[in-house]
Amino acid sequence: SFSPLREALNRLHSERLVVSMTSGGFRVAPFSEDEMWDAIETRIVIDCEALRRSLARGDDEWEARLVASFHALMAATGRRIADADSPVDPVRDDLEKRHQDFHRGLIAACGSRWLLDLSDQLYAQTERYRQPSLRDQNYSKFKRDVGAEHRQLLDAAVARDAGLAAGLLARHYRETGRMVRQVLALAVTEGAGDRGERGERGTTGVRVL
């Protein structure tokens, strides 16, 4: 019915995932590189603090769950590579769930519900930029060993080296932002070339993700 739909849209609006229109409707929040970097840098502040607390508080059970989540992520990555040409969504969805589980596992022992909730909100904000870039044909042109980055994060966490782990996490997030920016730049360049070949003029407008 209309009421639950309106309530859901209002919640998405409060989380800045949609924007309200003058006509009273809603639309997906437009792409903004400044907004993306603001979300990334804020996520670094929140997650790095949560990570430091998690490493200080985490017990053997937390560590075991983290190691297990890493191995699950690597297994899902292997399956995704094997099915690279397959459009089957469950394979990709499983990988992304395990990716989120690993990152949530890093900070799970922080002892702060507020930090965990804020981390979840910022994860959603950054994912709306990251996910479309993963599906872009230009993504494969950029070489990045994400598996090695996750391994380094795991090793630093297990060693309880908070300074190193926080630094690696910040670099990991910023590298994702740079990848998104590069993929978008290529898409804009190629789009301009296509319009030029057709003899079209004008601007592309705002890209909505």
Side-chain angles (χ1 to χ4, degrees):
S1 64
F2 180 79
S3 294
L5 181 61
R6 186 79 181 184
E7 182 180 348
L9 286 168
N10 281 327
R11 180 171 179 178
L12 290 172
H13 181 264
S14 69
E15 296 177 2
R16 303 170 68 178
L17 294 174
V18 301
V19 294
S20 59
M21 309 296 290
T22 55
S23 60
F26 296 87
R27 63 171 292 182
V28 176
F31 179 94
S32 166
E33 185 173 335
D34 288 342
E35 183 79 11
M36 179 188 74
W37 283 113
D38 188 18
I40 288 173
E41 292 300 327
T42 306
R43 188 181 176 198
I44 287 171
V45 172
I46 297 299
D47 281 16
C48 285
E49 175 61 25
L51 180 58
R52 292 186 183 94
R53 295 189 189 187
S54 192
L55 298 191
R57 295 168 53 93
D59 55 16
D60 291 343
E61 185 177 346
W62 163 80
E63 184 176 312
R65 287 196 300 268
L66 179 62
V67 172
S69 70
F70 171 78
H71 288 302
L73 173 59
M74 292 299 98
T77 301
R79 287 193 295 274
R80 182 59 184 160
I81 292 173
D83 292 340
D85 297 327
S86 172
V88 179
D89 285 340
V91 177
R92 181 176 60 220
D93 292 344
D94 181 57
L95 172 59
E96 291 307 319
K97 180 182 183 304
R98 296 189 185 207
H99 178 254
Q100 184 177 13
D101 288 345
F102 173 72
H103 277 279
R104 180 62 183 255
L106 286 168
I107 64 174
C110 71
S112 169
R113 180 63 182 270
W114 275 108
L115 284 175
L116 293 174
D117 286 350
L118 289 170
S119 177
D120 285 343
Q121 292 178 34
L122 290 163
Y123 180 87
Q125 285 290 337
T126 54
E127 281 297 283
R128 79 182 189 92
Y129 295 101
R130 173 177 167 269
Q131 285 296 327
S133 72
L134 293 177
R135 293 164 171 77
D136 193 290
Q137 61 182 359
N138 289 313
Y139 183 82
S140 61
K141 296 179 181 179
F142 302 101
K143 303 300 180 183
R144 181 187 179 195
D145 193 342
V146 180
E149 294 177 27
H150 288 142
R151 164 60 74 178
Q152 291 169 355
L153 277 167
L154 175 68
D155 290 345
V158 170
R160 308 302 172 107
D161 190 333
L164 176 60
L168 289 170
L169 188 62
R171 187 174 67 184
H172 181 67
Y173 289 166
R174 289 179 179 129
E175 187 61 26
T176 296
R178 284 190 286 269
M179 291 282 289
V180 172
R181 182 174 59 191
Q182 289 173 314
V183 169
L184 178 63
L186 272 179
V188 170
T189 300
E190 292 174 354
D194 291 342
R195 292 193 304 276
E197 291 175 2
R198 294 193 301 267
E200 296 176 0
R201 302 178 64 182
T203 61
T204 60
V206 177
R207 179 180 180 180
V208 178
L209 300 181

